């Protein structure tokens, strides 16, 4: 069990990440690549990613075991500001921190395993091995994450819209209570099923909530209690897609091109604009001046085209515009 302890100051400093974190998504996707579960959601993605992988991943495989601890330095807090910023932070990691975290990783590695001598070599080499690690990260990211980035962004935007609505409705207390089911808010403690028993005390530093597409089943946090507190958790939109047998991580450009032809017309342009920063079907019908059934039908077509993401929020559904939908609106491509 993971228990995160809040003070009143911490509640005031809870915040949602502004975008998906490319380094967290890259590291967590490496777990998904080696995991045979969730074939409905990740099966096609695994097949396509493996077909594109033509670079070495031995170092990643050594540093990211199939389960358990992986070094915190792989996911620096600066990653929330973008891929390049995160890589720069990783490039500048202090040698003493790297060695400390590699020792911790080595402590959980079986002495007779094939990984143990390579890990010792990496540890002894220190910073001289960083270029190889960075190269592997870049190559893997290009194959496994970059082609799906628009889809990942859409999922995280939908999650942000749902949590933002909870925050507006009931403050930080309602926000924490609205998180996916594996996270349980029992004020002043946020609990989560976790591989080990652990308590995290925020001590007035607040908490960054980082939704993730490739995070599954349980949330993840940094091991070092002195690092800025972050909780990476599965985006609800991704969970809904998996439970409903919905759209996989695979880009569906061919299907979207077929559906985009249905979008030409004034009404759907109005409906897409009416979604704004997020709208339930009832709100959408009211804003666009159409019936509830018509609003639902238009939202369904635009969702199939990749312009809208829909996420269940309580007893209602919440529609948000994807980056593709926003780009079309900015360019006027949907207007008749």
């Amino acid at each position: 069990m993971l228990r995160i302890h809040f003070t009143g100051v911490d509640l005031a400093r809870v915040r949602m990440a502004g975008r998906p974190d490319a380094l967290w998504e890259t590291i967590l996707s490496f777990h998904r690549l080696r995991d045979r579960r969730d074939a409905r959601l990740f099966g096609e993605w695994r097949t396509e990613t493996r077909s594109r992988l033509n670079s070495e991943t031995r170092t990643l495989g050594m540093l990211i075991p199939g389960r358990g601890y992986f070094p915190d330095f792989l996911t620096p807090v600066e990653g929330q500001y973008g891929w390049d910023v995160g890589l720069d932070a990783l490039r500048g990691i202090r040698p003493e921190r790297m060695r400390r975290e590699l020792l911790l990783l080595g402590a959980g590695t079986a002495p007779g395993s094939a990984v143990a001598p390579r890990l010792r070599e990496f540890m002894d080499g220190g910073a001289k091995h960083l270029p190889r690690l960075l190269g592997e990260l870049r190559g893997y990211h290009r194959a496994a994450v970059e082609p799906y980035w628009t889809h990942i962004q859409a999922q995280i935007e939908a999650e942000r819209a749902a949590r933002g609505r909870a925050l507006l409705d009931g403050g930080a207390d309602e926000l924490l209570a609205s998180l996916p089911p594996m996270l349980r808010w029992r004020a002043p403690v946020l609990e989560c099923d976790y591989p080990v028993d652990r308590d995290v005390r925020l001590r007035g530093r607040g908490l960054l909530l980082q939704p993730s597409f490739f995070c599954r089943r349980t949330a993840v946090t940094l091991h070092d209690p002195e690092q800025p507190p972050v909780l990476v958790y599965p985006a609800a939109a991704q969970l809904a897609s998996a439970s409903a047998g919905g759209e996989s991580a695979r880009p569906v450009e061919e299907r979207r091109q077929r559906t985009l032809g249905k979008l030409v017309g004034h009404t759907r342009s109005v409906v897409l604009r009416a979604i704004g920063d997020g709208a339930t079907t009832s709100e959408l019908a009211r804003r666009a001046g159409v019936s509830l059934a018509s609003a639902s039908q238009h939202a369904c077509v635009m969702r199939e085209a990749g312009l809208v993401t829909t996420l269940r929020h309580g007893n209602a559904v919440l529609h948000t515009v994807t980056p593709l939908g926003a780009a079309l609106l900015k360019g006027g491509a949907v207007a008749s």
Side-chain angles (χ1 to χ4, degrees), residues 58-59 107 127 129 154 187-188 222 236 247 281 284 289 302 308-309 328:
R58 286 184 64 203
T59 303
H129 292 303
L222 298 174
E247 183 180 354
T281 305
L284 184 56
M302 290 189 289
V308 167
T309 297
L328 285 176

Side-chain angles (χ1 to χ4, degrees), residues 114-125:
V115 171
R118 290 192 283 116
L119 184 57
R120 283 196 298 272
E121 177 189 353
F122 191 91
M123 195 182 311
D124 292 340

Side-chain angles (χ1 to χ4, degrees), residues 1-158:
M1 180 77 71
L2 172 68
R3 292 173 292 271
I4 302 177
H5 299 261
F6 287 74
T7 65
V9 174
D10 294 313
L11 279 174
R13 292 178 177 173
V14 172
R15 59 206 185 280
M16 287 289 299
R19 58 184 65 82
D21 186 308
L23 275 167
W24 272 109
E25 296 294 350
T26 301
I27 300 303
L28 292 174
S29 76
F30 197 71
H31 283 285
R32 301 289 77 78
L33 187 69
R34 296 176 295 177
D35 189 348
R36 296 180 180 274
R37 294 174 291 183
D38 305 310
R40 181 172 289 175
L41 185 61
F42 294 113
E44 289 179 288
W45 168 80
R46 288 188 186 109
T47 300
E48 293 186 346
T49 295
R50 286 175 181 139
S51 72
R52 279 191 298 267
L53 269 177
N54 54 12
S55 57
E56 178 61 64
T57 60
R58 286 184 64 203
T59 303
L60 289 179
M62 174 183 65
L63 297 181
I64 310 169
R67 56 187 302 175
Y69 172 80
F70 58 85
D72 289 345
F73 67 73
L74 293 174
T75 54
V77 68
E78 292 86 354
Q80 64 182 294
Y81 303 115
W83 172 251
D84 292 332
V85 178
L87 278 192
D88 283 343
L90 179 51
R91 188 180 293 109
I93 192 73
R94 299 190 310 278
E96 60 271 21
R97 178 185 170 188
M98 178 186 290
R99 182 171 181 80
R100 181 174 67 250
E101 294 183 6
L102 290 174
L103 283 169
L104 190 58
L105 176 64
T109 303
S113 72
V115 171
R118 290 192 283 116
L119 184 57
R120 283 196 298 272
E121 177 189 353
F122 191 91
M123 195 182 311
D124 292 340
K128 80 174 187 180
H129 292 303
L130 263 179
R132 186 174 71 200
L133 170 60
L134 293 170
E136 286 190 19
L137 269 173
R138 288 191 194 95
Y140 176 76
H141 176 80
R142 281 195 295 266
V145 177
E146 197 173 83
Y148 312 97
W149 194 245
T150 297
H151 179 76
I152 292 168
Q153 284 179 309
Q155 298 291 296
I156 302 312
E157 280 301 317

Side-chain angles (χ1 to χ4, degrees), residues 159 163 178-184 233-236 239:
E159 173 69 18
R163 301 307 147 228
S178 76
L179 292 170
M182 78 283 297
L183 294 160
R184 299 173 293 277
Y233 69 92
L239 294 174

Side-chain angles (χ1 to χ4, degrees), residues 6 10-17 156 158-181 183-187 189-191 206-211 231 233-234 236 311 313:
F6 287 74
D10 294 313
L11 279 174
R13 292 178 177 173
V14 172
R15 59 206 185 280
M16 287 289 299
I156 302 312
E159 173 69 18
R160 278 173 47 80
R163 301 307 147 228
R165 180 163 291 221
L167 181 65
L168 289 172
D169 288 346
D173 193 73
E174 180 66 23
L175 166 62
L176 294 171
S178 76
L179 292 170
L183 294 160
R184 299 173 293 277
W185 174 236
R186 294 169 179 165
V189 179
L190 182 64
E191 296 181 350
L207 180 67
L208 175 65
L209 296 171
Q210 177 68 67
L231 185 69
Y233 69 92
L311 172 66
H313 179 66

